[in-house]
Amino acid sequence: MISQEKIEPPPAILKIDGKEQISGIGSYCWKGTWNALCVDMIGIPTVQEPLIASSPFTAHLRLPLQEPPSELQFNIIQVTEQDELNLSARDWRWWNIWELQGKRLTPPLERESDIELSLEPGLYVLNIEAWLEKGSVSYGFLVEVQSNGTSALPATSVSPVNQNGTSNSVNFTISRGLQ
């Protein structure tokens, strides 16, 4: 009898201030040993409880893959409770982010990278899209940025740092009007 292989990408991990969050796994096309599977999700899944951060902070992204990705995108989308879908699959929270404006950056093509973020207080879905030899996958993380007693930041600064210690900086603005 032939056993059925589980064909699903492994989850990614995001670490902020010493606390880790395992990603939700969104849409993917993934190759197994003998076959492949493509799954299209209705939204982006995240865990129930967000990681808490005070801005600015460093997010350490770890992709559980053997090889570095051939393409990698990091999407930052501010969300509200109205953006949450009424689904309960896998005990995840599901987010309808497709029509929301956010910011996209391209971190280094590394299995692990540090990304420095400065965001206004609020709830954010961090959606990571990775393309590699085994296929493509979309990961979802949930982060709540709390006020640290300062006024709103005029710009959001993002600095991906790769394992070699070099950095590519990108500056952009996220305003509350994105909701």
Side-chain angles (χ1 to χ4, degrees):
M1 180 170 193
I2 299 173
S3 66
Q4 186 175 3
E5 175 185 15
K6 181 178 178 182
I7 302 175
E8 184 176 86
I13 296 173
L14 188 71
K15 187 174 184 178
I16 299 173
D17 293 332
K19 294 185 178 148
E20 290 186 346
Q21 184 179 105
I22 296 175
S23 70
I25 300 171
S27 297
Y28 63 89
C29 281
W30 207 250
K31 296 177 197 170
T33 305
W34 302 107
N35 41 16
L37 179 65
C38 288
V39 175
D40 192 15
M41 301 290 187
I42 192 169
I44 297 296
T46 66
V47 296
Q48 293 287 329
E49 296 298 321
L51 280 175
I52 305 298
S54 292
S55 200
F57 62 94
T58 299
H60 181 80
L61 174 65
R62 184 170 64 228
L63 300 173
L65 312 166
Q66 297 302 319
E67 73 278 352
S70 59
E71 188 175 341
L72 189 62
Q73 292 181 354
F74 192 98
N75 304 295
I76 304 165
I77 304 104
Q78 191 170 16
V79 294
T80 65
E81 289 181 12
Q82 289 79 23
D83 301 316
E84 188 171 355
L85 297 169
N86 188 16
L87 299 172
S88 61
R90 293 190 175 191
D91 259 350
W92 288 338
R93 291 175 80 175
W94 293 82
W95 301 93
N96 181 14
I97 62 168
W98 308 121
E99 295 181 12
L100 298 176
Q101 292 180 353
K103 294 298 176 182
R104 176 176 288 183
L105 65 117
T106 306
L109 298 177
E110 303 282 339
R111 290 177 51 227
E112 292 192 43
S113 58
D114 287 331
I115 302 166
E116 297 175 29
L117 298 170
S118 181
L119 304 171
E120 290 184 11
L123 190 62
Y124 293 86
V125 169
L126 306 181
N127 175 232
I128 313 304
E129 297 175 30
W131 290 264
L132 356 87
E133 189 176 310
K134 282 191 74 92
S136 62
V137 59
S138 175
Y139 294 117
F141 296 100
L142 190 60
V143 175
E144 181 180 340
V145 178
Q146 295 184 341
S147 175
N148 57 5
T150 61
S151 61
L153 302 171
T156 300
S157 175
V158 177
S159 300
V161 180
N162 65 22
Q163 289 176 325
N164 299 329
T166 58
S167 171
N168 299 326
S169 294
V170 177
N171 291 318
F172 56 86
T173 301
I174 290 185
S175 66
R176 294 181 202 279
L178 295 177
Q179 298 174 11

